Amino acid sequence: EEAEQKRIDYLFELVNMYYAFQKERNAFANRMAMIEQGRSVDTLVKRKVFEKYKERFADLEQEIASDIAMYVQDHPMYDYITGVKGIGACLGAQILSQIDIRKADTVSALWRYSGLSVDAEGKADRLKKGQKSVFNTRLKMVMYKVSTQFLRNRSPYAKFYYNAKAYYKQNRPDWTKLHCDYAARRKMMKMFMSHLWEVYRKLEGLPTPAPYVFEKLGHTHMISPHEF
């Protein structure tokens, strides 16, 4: 168990470095864009410096992405998560490095930690000034990236998005298109995370409370992770 935790901690640090390099690469790309748009003084020196370090950080980002893809193969959930259409090794690592499945005694706990829960008024959990966040902001961002990949790659999970979106359009006339989109994405991701929670907990020999609570997702029967 200690060795497994060390592997997960190392993967977590690799992913943190990936985000750091990505942030710097984006910063230089934004500076280049400002020059192209005439919103920043354009000099040959400035252009060369920005271009040089944008490429440098892009190379570092790619290098560490390769390291992550190689290292995540040792994770016990690697085969499962990369077997889900739309999730590759690097994106899978971004999910797995943020989760300690032993602390998620219920699927609802994992939903909340992932930023997928709603409050008593049906509004998504948000960061509140002066209060400690109830969710992992980075994992919430990753969930949005995964939802985009599911839709882009026509994942089997996408059907939950389209069904939910159609329902919201018909039954929530006061909601904007963006509101319907976010709510439908959340429903799709809750189904995915419920499957991940079940498989991961069973793999680690941890209890998965029954009966399984799919009612919260609007379903009346259990949908097996292996169907996806």
Side-chain angles (χ1 to χ4, degrees), residues 109-176:
L110 183 58
W111 285 342
R112 192 172 199 201
Y113 185 67
S114 306
L116 298 172
S117 293
V118 295
D119 59 23
E121 298 178 354
K123 295 181 179 179
D125 283 334
R126 298 177 182 275
L127 292 174
K128 297 179 181 178
K129 188 176 181 180
Q131 294 183 17
K132 185 177 180 180
S133 175
V134 298
F135 58 85
N136 181 323
T137 54
R138 180 168 288 174
L139 183 55
K140 184 174 183 177
M141 178 185 69
V142 173
M143 287 296 97
Y144 188 85
K145 289 166 66 175
V146 174
S147 71
T148 298
Q149 288 302 311
F150 280 173
L151 297 177
R152 184 174 294 160
N153 291 278
R154 298 183 180 180
S155 164
Y157 284 104
K159 70 179 182 181
F160 296 104
Y161 169 85
Y162 291 113
N163 289 342
K165 190 175 182 180
Y167 174 84
Y168 295 140
K169 281 185 174 181
Q170 184 174 355
N171 296 277
R172 301 289 188 272
D174 56 322
W175 284 13
T176 64

Side-chain angles (χ1 to χ4, degrees), residues 23-57:
K23 181 179 179 181
E24 293 303 324
R25 190 257 302 164
N26 286 335
F28 283 104
N30 289 337
R31 291 172 184 173
M32 288 294 297
M34 290 179 68
I35 290 176
E36 297 295 337
Q37 296 166 10
R39 295 187 292 121
S40 178
V41 176
D42 186 4
T43 67
L44 183 59
V45 172
K46 180 184 285 189
R47 184 182 286 266
K48 283 187 175 181
V49 168
F50 288 171
E51 185 62 33
K52 173 184 177 181
Y53 287 101
K54 179 174 75 76
E55 292 179 0
R56 183 75 58 84
F57 279 111

